[in-house]
Amino acid sequence: MAAITANMVKELRERTDAPMMECKRALAEADGDMGKAEEILRVKLGSKASKAATRITAEGVVAIQRTADGALGSLIEINCETDFVAKNDDFLKLAGDCAALVADNNPADVAALSALPLGEGTVESTRTALVGKIGENMSIRRFVRIEAQGKLASYIHGGAKIGVLVDCIGGDDQLGKDLAMHIAATKPKALDATGVAADLIESERRIAIEKAREAGKPEAMIEKIADGSVQKFLNEVTLLGQVFVKAEDGKQTISQLLKAKGASVAGFTLFVVGEGLAKRSNDFAAEVAAQAAAAQK
């Protein structure tokens, strides 16, 4: 039996928002396996256990560069330590300049972007100088450059915390804008089911089967119930399966909207600042205690 530490319980609680004792029991049942423990909690507690997945866990901004005709665009995320710096004009300018460089130069990766000329030096020397000026670390995390099959629409939301580029074939500018805003609001994982990772689908199937068995459903019905649950999951996490946020009847899916407009989506990119990163936590009491202990030593 793996030892269940307080930090493990704390991490699972932050990921699921489940009660602390439920987290401890789930970890014990899973023999310390964090992923399996999260699945156990989702079986017991339902969708509440997955809501932490959309939390923003680091600071910074996204920036977008798009040509007027929508044929080409770039999206970049640059991180910093605090939200205060994320609003700094020099930091915002660096993000905008880097987005433009990505669009114009098509660098292969962050290292190639960092070596490109900017101002009196390079992107890297500019970043380093800004770190020295502000006194806070910052880094270029990721970027994409898209040559559209149709026309790119873009949207930035929440103080440049969420950025979207969507490649729309057909339709009009309003449709592109609506799609970009919808993606920012619903955060789909993929365009359709083919883009959803197989392990995520299998996880949903396992959870559905366990929930059906706990509910006492007949064994002969369980696979059918699991199929329905997986399809519901795919509709929730794929752009084409989602209900359009502006649908007047509350039922029209994105797929139906596109069909009505004679349009299609070639692809999209969504960046949420800090997604998947650990946010720095400043515990003043802990810092004071640590400093006092160090002083005693």
Side-chain angles (χ1 to χ4, degrees):
M1 174 68 71
I4 308 303
T5 67
N7 283 338
M8 292 169 65
V9 175
K10 179 175 180 289
E11 180 182 348
L12 185 58
R13 177 170 167 75
E14 288 174 348
R15 287 169 62 169
T16 65
D17 282 337
M20 190 170 296
M21 290 308 297
E22 290 286 352
C23 291
K24 187 173 181 180
R25 280 192 285 267
L27 281 165
E29 184 177 340
D31 197 23
D33 185 314
M34 191 67 64
K36 186 175 179 181
E38 189 170 351
E39 284 192 12
I40 290 169
L41 287 175
R42 288 196 57 199
V43 170
K44 292 181 178 179
L45 305 177
S47 61
K48 181 180 179 182
S50 65
K51 78 176 190 178
T54 58
R55 285 178 180 159
I56 294 174
T57 55
E59 305 302 339
V61 295
V62 294
I64 289 175
Q65 181 77 14
R66 184 172 64 92
T67 57
D69 61 2
L72 175 68
S74 64
L75 171 61
I76 191 167
E77 176 186 351
I78 298 187
N79 297 125
C80 55
E81 295 180 41
T82 65
D83 190 53
F84 178 77
V85 168
K87 298 172 183 176
N88 178 276
D89 288 341
D90 290 335
F91 181 75
L92 293 172
K93 184 177 185 304
L94 175 64
D97 288 344
C98 286
L101 286 170
V102 169
D104 293 341
N105 296 274
N106 193 22
D109 50 29
V110 171
L113 171 60
S114 298
L116 290 175
L118 180 62
E120 298 180 357
T122 64
V123 170
E124 177 58 20
S125 66
T126 302
R127 183 198 69 83
T128 303
L130 193 55
V131 169
K133 177 181 177 181
I134 295 177
E136 182 171 311
N137 193 25
M138 55 194 69
S139 61
I140 300 169
R141 183 186 181 194
R142 53 182 174 170
F143 62 80
V144 294
R145 181 181 183 274
I146 300 172
E147 295 182 20
Q149 295 181 38
K151 184 176 182 180
L152 289 176
S154 62
Y155 181 64
I156 288 182
H157 179 74
K161 299 298 184 186
I162 300 172
V164 177
L165 280 176
V166 56
D167 186 355
C168 189
I169 301 173
D172 54 20
D173 289 345
Q174 185 59 50
L175 176 62
K177 181 180 179 182
D178 284 344
L179 289 171
M181 292 178 69
H182 172 95
I183 292 166
T186 62
K187 301 178 181 61
K189 295 181 182 296
L191 178 62
D192 56 31
T194 63
V196 180
D199 59 337
L200 285 179
I201 296 175
E202 184 57 33
S203 174
E204 289 299 317
R205 179 174 293 278
R206 285 198 307 269
I207 290 167
I209 289 172
E210 290 303 316
K211 289 178 74 172
R213 283 176 176 155
E214 287 201 359
K217 300 295 182 181
E219 195 68 26
M221 293 178 58
I222 286 180
E223 283 300 324
K224 187 174 181 180
I225 291 171
D227 288 343
S229 295
V230 168
Q231 187 56 55
K232 181 182 177 183
F233 166 72
L234 290 173
N235 287 340
E236 290 172 349
V237 302
T238 60
L239 176 62
L240 298 183
Q242 290 178 339
V243 174
F244 180 37
V245 292
K246 293 175 66 175
E248 294 181 0
D249 62 359
K251 297 179 180 180
Q252 185 185 39
T253 65
I254 294 296
S255 180
Q256 291 168 343
L257 170 67
L258 290 168
K259 185 176 180 180
K261 298 288 186 180
S264 62
V265 172
F268 71 89
T269 300
L270 165 70
F271 282 177
V272 179
V273 170
E275 186 176 40
L277 297 178
K279 189 172 183 179
R280 187 179 70 171
S281 177
N282 292 324
D283 186 334
F284 180 72
E287 287 183 6
V288 171
Q291 290 174 4
Q296 288 178 353
K297 289 181 180 180

